[in-house]
Amino acid sequence: MAQMVRVHNLMVSSDGYAAGEGQSRERPFGHADPARLGAWAFATASWPDRSDPGGSRGLDDYMVRDFHRNIGAEIMGRNKFGPQRGPWADHEWQGWWGQQPPFHTPVFVMTHHERPSFRLSDTTFHFTGGEPAGVLRRALAAAEGKDVRLGGGATTIRQFLDADLVDTLHIAVAPVQLGAGSRLWRSPEELRDRYHHDVVPSPSGVVHHLFWRR
Amino acid sequence: MAQMVRVHNLMVSSDGYAAGEGQSRERPFGHADPARLGAWAFATASWPDRSDPGGSRGLDDYMVRDFHRNIGAEIMGRNKFGPQRGPWADHEWQGWWGQQPPFHTPVFVMTHHERPSFRLSDTTFHFTGGEPAGVLRRALAAAEGKDVRLGGGATTIRQFLDADLVDTLHIAVAPVQLGAGSRLWRSPEELRDRYHHDVVPSPSGVVHHLFWRR
């Protein structure tokens, strides 16, 4: 089967923002509260960082656990990787995820500024400039026949959508308004010309939007 | 993580039947029409027997593709395996699935009548009498740490529910009435005392019922 480019578990507000304004080391999502955007996911049995046992195994868990299925590489924007902008002042920052990042594959961080690759546990981070199509070629090769996850944020996903490089998307819309920040869309209707679209309200209050190519 | 016992993609009518009456070689579901019970699944990209390319990748596909995730063995009732009753007249019958069964693990067929194990491609069928708990012990051992799928039919699932041996269930209720046959329930409410319950209507018209232990 052909390799696919997939978006999973991208959490956005009801007005379409995946992150707020004012990202910092202390606030990776800026003025947005990740606990409110992601409450549906954090309650599931499959959430990778859960510290308490148990967790739900209903619809939301299906969504969360599909994150790893047949994924061989991830592409992410620089702002998902960290709060720095411009040239790398130092190489101390290694992402938000500690010594055990939840990716377990090569990760390609899109940036105009060079930086050497490094490895943390079973995740290797590479830093790459260039257009989406070129970055995707590298990620597809690294994925060795498996699919590529497009990890976000919203700006990176928009770039890949504009280049028509995305096969499937799962966007989880939380009942929260943000008003400003990094925006994925004004309305999910924007994608309907190119994608089939399932709208699936969850008992948890989030609405899952699933898109696949027409 | 502890091994789980999981039911996936069990298709039932709106009045709770997983198969009709009068099973035969020509009609594995008796008077029920599998095309109507399973239309939602057959339309998905992940349906194992699909002959045409394409297929949907929305909610129904999430359900279908979870069938294989971390499964190490299946348990099924004899009537899922074939239309014969009583002692095996011959060993020619090897299931409904041809030379490439979709299981890819050991399968334990519950029957009071002995029959030697046999292998088809990467699926091995074993035949076993005894109570659900004993059959489950064998399946858990064969699964080598992975989960066990409880494959149906309804009578077998009822036996395991009555023995409180089921951890999660996905039941897909199709908008079809059958009136008679092999019944899973009168109402999904029957399981609510022991299970959490997500009710998820799909755009395809089927309603997915997801249960996990309280």
Side-chain angles (χ1 to χ4, degrees):
Chain A
M1 193 188 285
Q3 286 174 281
M4 293 199 298
V5 179
R6 297 158 38 194
V7 173
H8 282 278
N9 301 330
L10 188 80
M11 301 170 186
V12 308
S13 63
S14 57
D15 49 353
Y17 296 96
E21 290 186 317
Q23 186 189 48
S24 68
R25 210 166 167 131
E26 293 70 38
R27 296 197 63 91
F29 291 84
H31 81 277
D33 178 359
R36 292 186 67 200
L37 281 177
W40 68 274
F42 308 150
T44 65
S46 299
W47 183 251
D49 293 331
R50 67 177 304 110
S51 48
D52 53 330
S56 67
R57 296 185 183 276
L59 173 66
D60 294 335
D61 199 53
Y62 272 79
M63 299 293 140
V64 166
R65 70 197 184 214
D66 209 49
F67 181 83
H68 287 297
R69 182 186 51 82
N70 197 42
I71 291 288
E74 162 147 338
I75 296 169
M76 66 172 65
R78 181 173 179 177
N79 297 2
K80 174 167 172 179
F81 176 72
Q84 300 90 347
R85 305 291 184 266
W88 301 96
D90 61 60
H91 296 161
E92 203 182 309
W93 179 265
Q94 297 194 307
W96 312 94
W97 304 281
Q99 294 301 305
Q100 304 281 340
F103 305 106
H104 315 297
T105 66
V107 170
F108 294 85
V109 179
M110 293 178 75
T111 168
H112 299 297
H113 302 280
E114 286 186 24
R115 179 173 163 169
S117 301
F118 68 89
R119 189 176 176 87
L120 273 181
S121 180
D122 54 358
T123 298
T124 301
F125 291 91
H126 303 287
F127 298 84
T128 175
E131 292 302 300
V135 176
L136 179 56
R137 273 193 296 276
R138 284 190 65 188
L140 286 168
E144 297 182 335
K146 294 187 174 180
D147 294 342
V148 170
R149 190 193 309 108
L150 185 57
T155 307
T156 302
I157 293 173
R158 287 285 0 153
Q159 286 180 308
F160 279 76
L161 283 172
D162 292 346
D164 200 25
L165 295 173
V166 186
D167 293 303
T168 67
L169 301 95
H170 162 229
I171 313 293
V173 178
V176 179
Q177 293 253 343
L178 284 176
S182 173
R183 195 163 208 172
L184 178 67
W185 58 36
R186 291 185 179 277
S187 159
E189 302 294 320
E190 295 165 15
L191 299 182
R192 285 211 157 187
D193 56 338
R194 287 187 286 159
Y195 293 92
H196 298 279
H197 180 201
D198 273 1
V199 181
V200 187
S202 168
S204 65
V206 76
V207 180
H208 299 292
H209 291 259
L210 308 173
F211 300 89
W212 67 103
R213 281 187 192 277
R214 290 192 176 276
Chain B
M1 192 188 287
Q3 287 174 281
M4 294 200 297
V5 178
R6 299 158 37 192
V7 173
H8 281 277
N9 301 330
L10 188 80
M11 302 171 187
V12 309
S13 63
S14 56
D15 50 352
Y17 296 96
E21 290 186 317
Q23 186 189 48
S24 68
R25 209 165 168 133
E26 294 69 38
R27 295 198 63 91
F29 291 83
H31 80 279
D33 178 359
R36 293 186 67 200
L37 281 176
W40 68 274
F42 307 151
T44 64
S46 299
W47 183 253
D49 294 331
R50 65 178 304 111
S51 47
D52 53 330
S56 67
R57 296 185 184 278
L59 174 67
D60 294 336
D61 199 53
Y62 272 78
M63 298 295 138
V64 166
R65 69 196 185 215
D66 210 50
F67 181 82
H68 287 297
R69 182 186 50 83
N70 197 42
I71 290 288
E74 162 147 340
I75 296 169
M76 65 173 66
R78 180 174 180 175
N79 298 1
K80 174 168 172 179
F81 176 74
Q84 300 90 347
R85 304 291 184 267
W88 301 96
D90 60 60
H91 295 162
E92 203 183 310
W93 178 265
Q94 295 193 307
W96 313 93
W97 304 280
Q99 294 302 304
Q100 304 282 340
F103 306 107
H104 314 297
T105 66
V107 171
F108 294 85
V109 179
M110 293 179 75
T111 168
H112 300 296
H113 302 281
E114 286 185 24
R115 179 172 163 170
S117 301
F118 68 89
R119 189 176 176 87
L120 274 181
S121 180
D122 55 358
T123 298
T124 302
F125 291 90
H126 303 286
F127 299 84
T128 175
E131 291 302 301
V135 175
L136 179 56
R137 272 193 296 277
R138 284 190 66 188
L140 286 168
E144 295 183 337
K146 294 187 173 180
D147 295 342
V148 170
R149 189 192 309 108
L150 185 56
T155 307
T156 302
I157 292 173
R158 286 285 0 155
Q159 286 180 308
F160 278 75
L161 282 171
D162 291 347
D164 201 24
L165 295 173
V166 186
D167 294 301
T168 67
L169 302 95
H170 162 228
I171 313 294
V173 178
V176 178
Q177 293 254 342
L178 285 176
S182 173
R183 195 163 210 172
L184 178 68
W185 59 37
R186 292 185 178 277
S187 159
E189 302 295 320
E190 295 166 14
L191 298 183
R192 285 210 156 187
D193 57 338
R194 286 187 285 158
Y195 293 92
H196 299 279
H197 180 202
D198 273 0
V199 181
V200 187
S202 169
S204 65
V206 76
V207 179
H208 299 292
H209 291 259
L210 308 173
F211 299 89
W212 68 103
R213 281 187 193 278
R214 287 189 179 279

